[in-house]
Amino acid sequence: MPELPFTLDQLRILKAIAAEGSFKKAADLLYVTQPAVSLQIQNLEKQLEITIFDRGGRKALLTEAGRLLLEYCERILNQCDEACKAIEDLNSLKGGTLVIGASQTTGTYLMPRMIGLFRQKYPEVSVQLQVHSTRRTGWSVANGQIDLAIIGGQLPSDLENLLQVIPYATDELALVLPPKHQLSSKKELLKEDLYKLNFVTLDSQSTTRKVVDKLLKDSGLDIQRLKIEMELNSLEAIKNAVQSGLGASFLPVVSIERELAAGTIHKAFVADLEVERELKLITNPSRYTSRASEVFKKNILPQFASLESPLRQT
Amino acid sequence: MPELPFTLDQLRILKAIAAEGSFKKAADLLYVTQPAVSLQIQNLEKQLEITIFDRGGRKALLTEAGRLLLEYCERILNQCDEACKAIEDLNSLKGGTLVIGASQTTGTYLMPRMIGLFRQKYPEVSVQLQVHSTRRTGWSVANGQIDLAIIGGQLPSDLENLLQVIPYATDELALVLPPKHQLSSKKELLKEDLYKLNFVTLDSQSTTRKVVDKLLKDSGLDIQRLKIEMELNSLEAIKNAVQSGLGASFLPVVSIERELAAGTIHKAFVADLEVERELKLITNPSRYTSRASEVFKKNILPQFASLESPLRQT
DNA sequence: TATTTGAATAATTTAAATTTATGGATACTC
DNA sequence: GAGTATCCATAAATTTAAATTATTCAAATA
């Protein structure tokens, strides 16, 4: 690693003298005394073993070596200015990238709206959304590839300690039926009724599926007895299957708002059964938090948070 | 003029840490202690109001802002290295430009050989030859547009004091005749014979012409009585005219070496008449002397200098 | 010749960066 | 899981570098 034969200050002085044609004027311009300028140029000349200025006459004139150096000097100083500008933009949220993680459901139905709101406020910050499994999302947050994420499932316990996990909203997993289904007309179903249904579910790897299974089991149901017509790996596919009358399913309400409004899917109520999961914001407290990430957490998320969420208070 | 928010040293440290992934290793690499590195990065972070490294885990990782800054950092440091290399090349005569001035005659017949020799030794230094009148050449040397020059005429007296003038060779201005001319057969002419000749001369502005006129006058000749057939502004044209039998002329021997060898021009001797002028090297002592200029003066010129020249001793 | 202007120099002061020494946090070892 | 090593942060002291004031020198202007 080579020693640096000059400093940025020296280059700045060089440039000023070249522009003003005088050591004294350069000194005034830079708000220092004339000897300071003289000494710095002398150091520069000594270190590079060149003569930079002809100081004979009325004004200081560049030598060939001086002109050569000045060229580089201007380029270098321009780069410095650019760097400052870029950093400033980053600080004032006029640049940079926010990387957000999400699981399938939130990534598909919730994040687009949040990101839309964020970009409306900070159009110059670009946002990257990474949709992965809860597990992988957690790891990405842990090692800094993702600034913040929203997950709906359970983190591995090692990650849970490492990361900051803030519940910020609940997501109801509604029992949905085809509108023409015979049970759709009933005001309220009983738990027993569930055993009569044919289910179209997410595949068993999926976070949402695991959550649903766990919640049903917790509420006393024997999930082995539930009839599973088919397993699909896409919520959209399941929605289509339900709409086509192929069976029932538990789906996040956020994913079926449109269909409920249009009446193409029926949401049923089951007595004594509340299938709800917490959506949680996860961040890495031991890592640098970008301004963009901060702002997202403080200003954007609360608008989507439920009343009990700690985020509401901020 | 804006303050500089960072120093090259800080950038160098930043780069080293990014490369090594550790403050300590970077410190070792740069031959400083670890706190020095830490403090400089802290200063940098404070001044730019950003966090550059995540120092949580095993190794220091760049944040987004850090990566952004590093990009500029590398560009800036590369430019610095390049600047150093360019300056070094200039110092070691592996680059740069030598600007040489000359009058018509020396520029045409002498300089090409000198420059050839110089470029043979220093092929990476480019040479620029500027052929102008003695007067203009002198001014160019005075204000630094030309590094050094060779002139054959008299400088204006104000310039003569300002510049360093070193005679380095004599240039004989020979009387030349067409080979078939009746006087070409005579071994030696008398001054009187000159009045019988028809002259083809340079135009009266030319330095060489003025020198010839002055020298002839000084040796007692009445230049009004000399018959001037025509005035041309090019030595080559005059040579052609003489070869074609149109008349006689006084020409610098350096310009007719080839023709004398070929016998297409006859050089005559005139009793009691020596038409010689001094060729002088002029430089500007109050200005920076480039390495290339130095070398040209010390190593190249003496090889073309006559025995009495002060340059022979160097 | 006297005066002014710009740059170099010397001595002092001021500021900044480096070092030594130390403490705390985290990861690796047995 | 205590011990140890590693790495970074911090504090105080030292050293180094840079800026200022004051002065001299040289060149240019009047």
Side-chain angles (χ1 to χ4, degrees), chain A residues 195 216-217 220-226:
Chain A
Y195 298 122
L216 293 179
K217 206 193 280 175
L221 284 160
D222 176 6
I223 51 175
Q224 304 299 330
R225 279 182 61 200
L226 295 172

Side-chain angles (χ1 to χ4, degrees), chain A residues 22-24 34-35 38 42 55:
Chain A
S22 143
F23 282 44
K24 179 158 182 49
Q34 169 264 315
S38 283
Q42 280 172 36
R55 299 114 151 128

Side-chain angles (χ1 to χ4, degrees), chain B residues 108-127:
Chain B
T108 309
Y109 303 102
L110 205 58
M111 293 311 313
R113 277 185 274 168
M114 289 190 182
I115 294 173
L117 187 61
F118 179 84
R119 301 245 332 142
Q120 199 176 317
K121 288 194 178 175
Y122 309 102
E124 284 153 310
V125 179
S126 65
V127 177

Side-chain angles (χ1 to χ4, degrees), chain B residues 47-237:
Chain B
Q47 299 223 287
L48 295 176
E49 298 176 324
I50 56 175
T51 303
I52 297 176
F53 289 103
D54 267 326
R55 300 116 152 123
R58 231 294 155 272
K59 56 181 172 180
L61 284 174
L62 285 166
T63 63
E64 181 190 10
R67 280 191 298 275
L68 181 67
L69 187 59
L70 180 63
E71 262 181 56
Y72 284 97
C73 168
E74 312 229 274
R75 257 184 280 172
I76 291 167
L77 292 178
N78 280 342
Q79 289 286 323
C80 291
D81 286 345
E82 255 190 60
C84 292
K85 222 178 122 311
I87 294 288
E88 266 172 39
D89 283 351
L90 200 66
N91 272 338
S92 61
L93 290 177
K94 285 187 182 163
T97 305
L98 175 64
V99 184
I100 299 178
S103 54
Q104 188 67 47
T105 309
T106 46
T108 309
Y109 303 102
L110 205 58
M111 293 311 313
R113 277 185 274 168
M114 289 190 182
I115 294 173
L117 187 61
F118 179 84
R119 301 245 332 142
Q120 199 176 317
K121 288 194 178 175
Y122 309 102
E124 284 153 310
V125 179
S126 65
V127 177
Q128 195 182 320
L129 177 65
Q130 293 194 8
V131 175
H132 293 301
S133 69
T134 296
R135 179 183 207 87
R136 179 163 168 196
T137 299
W139 279 113
S140 292
V141 172
N143 62 32
Q145 290 161 5
I146 287 179
D147 291 313
L148 59 86
I150 287 172
I151 54 171
Q154 190 64 25
L155 280 175
S157 61
D158 48 346
L159 282 177
E160 194 129 60
N161 306 330
L162 209 62
L163 304 178
Q164 187 180 39
V165 182
I166 304 175
Y168 89 97
T170 53
D171 178 32
E172 184 188 354
L173 293 156
L175 173 65
V176 296
L177 301 173
K180 296 170 290 187
H181 194 279
Q182 59 181 87
L183 290 178
S184 291
S185 48
K186 286 183 78 170
K187 205 155 199 173
E188 194 176 60
L189 305 189
L190 301 173
K191 284 183 185 172
E192 288 298 313
D193 290 330
L194 295 179
Y195 296 124
K196 301 175 191 160
L197 293 170
N198 283 327
F199 281 96
V200 183
T201 72
L202 280 166
D203 68 282
S204 53
Q205 307 302 320
S206 131
T207 301
T208 303
R209 166 71 182 279
K210 286 181 194 161
V211 169
V212 172
D213 281 4
K214 183 172 184 298
L215 290 169
L216 292 180
K217 206 194 278 179
D218 288 352
S219 73
L221 284 160
D222 176 6
I223 51 176
Q224 303 299 330
R225 278 182 63 197
L226 295 172
K227 277 173 286 182
I228 295 178
E229 186 74 20
M230 56 179 125
E231 295 190 344
L232 302 174
N233 67 354
S234 142
L235 280 176
E236 288 301 314

Side-chain angles (χ1 to χ4, degrees), chain A residues 174-179 181-199 221 226 247-250 266-275:
Chain A
L175 173 65
V176 296
L177 303 171
H181 195 279
Q182 57 181 89
L183 291 178
S184 290
S185 48
K186 288 184 75 172
K187 204 153 199 174
E188 194 176 62
L189 306 189
L190 300 174
K191 283 185 185 170
E192 289 299 310
D193 291 329
L194 295 177
Y195 298 122
K196 301 175 193 159
L197 292 169
N198 283 327
F199 280 95
L221 284 160
L226 295 172
S249 189
F250 282 96
H266 176 75
K267 178 181 168 193
F269 294 90
V270 184
D272 295 330
L273 183 66
E274 225 181 28
V275 192

